[in-house]
Amino acid sequence: APFNIPVNAVCPGLTRTRAYAPLPPDMVKSIQATLPFARPAEPREMANVIHFLCSDESSYVSGHAIVANGAHGFGLFYCTAALFDARAE
């Protein structure tokens, strides 16, 4: 970091964009059923994360991949961790 250039990434979850539009309705419904918020992100929500990373508010944030996916997959991680804890007993 000798040049004070922060390097970060945003890892978005399903977001309502042009790429989302042609998805078949049954696929969208199936995907949304797995999302804790039961909806895709709005583009503005991803823009807010990027805005934060570009602002002075994040001046000491570097080397991170910010996962902005509405906690998608969190339950799976939690269940998997609980399973391993149960096996340890």
Side-chain angles (χ1 to χ4, degrees):
F3 300 107
N4 289 327
I5 300 172
V7 177
N8 295 292
V10 176
C11 305
L14 182 65
T15 305
R16 194 181 316 271
T17 63
R18 288 188 306 238
Y20 171 90
L23 295 177
D26 58 331
M27 179 184 286
V28 170
K29 188 175 181 179
S30 175
I31 293 169
Q32 287 182 351
T34 69
L35 302 174
F37 294 152
R39 65 172 182 81
E42 294 299 326
R44 185 76 187 151
E45 292 171 304
M46 292 303 121
N48 289 339
V49 176
I50 295 164
H51 182 265
F52 166 72
L53 289 173
C54 294
S55 74
D56 289 339
E57 302 291 321
S58 68
S59 62
Y60 206 66
V61 177
S62 189
H64 290 279
I66 298 180
V67 179
N69 68 358
H72 184 235
F74 179 77
L76 177 63
F77 172 78
Y78 179 78
C79 292
T80 304
L83 177 64
F84 283 114
D85 286 346
R87 288 183 180 172
E89 295 177 0

